[in-house]
Amino acid sequence: MNVAFFCECFRPMRNGVVTSIETFNQQLTRLGHRVYIFAPRFPGYTNHDENVYRFPSFTLPHVKDYPIAFPFAPRLN
């Protein structure tokens, strides 16, 4: 089965959402499923996971730790 997670935060953040997605990813992969994660791009963070796709994002001046993904991205990386 193919499974996709669309989230507003992922690594390098550390919180309950990230921990939950990582746990689901590990267990579903162990069971033989293909897992894809779609998350906002974080400035200065290099993504090394081949199953994680980053949307272009921007930060607000008063909430710099939570980049907001653009809803449309013709090309993900």
Side-chain angles (χ1 to χ4, degrees):
M1 174 174 28
N2 291 316
V3 178
F5 288 98
F6 291 83
C7 50
E8 85 278 355
C9 61
F10 197 59
R11 292 185 214 121
M13 292 186 123
R14 300 301 310 165
N15 60 30
V17 171
V18 176
T19 301
S20 179
I21 291 170
E22 288 177 333
T23 302
F24 275 115
N25 181 25
Q26 291 168 1
Q27 295 304 313
L28 289 168
T29 300
R30 185 178 64 78
L31 292 170
H33 302 292
R34 296 184 73 182
V35 178
Y36 303 93
I37 299 167
F38 297 88
R41 186 178 301 141
F42 281 75
Y45 180 74
T46 303
N47 188 45
H48 296 289
D49 300 304
E50 66 182 46
N51 66 332
V52 177
Y53 298 90
R54 300 290 182 155
F55 285 100
S57 65
F58 64 95
T59 57
L60 298 173
H62 59 286
V63 191
K64 294 183 186 203
D65 293 336
Y66 282 89
I68 298 169
F70 290 115
F72 175 73
R75 181 173 174 225
L76 299 176
N77 63 14

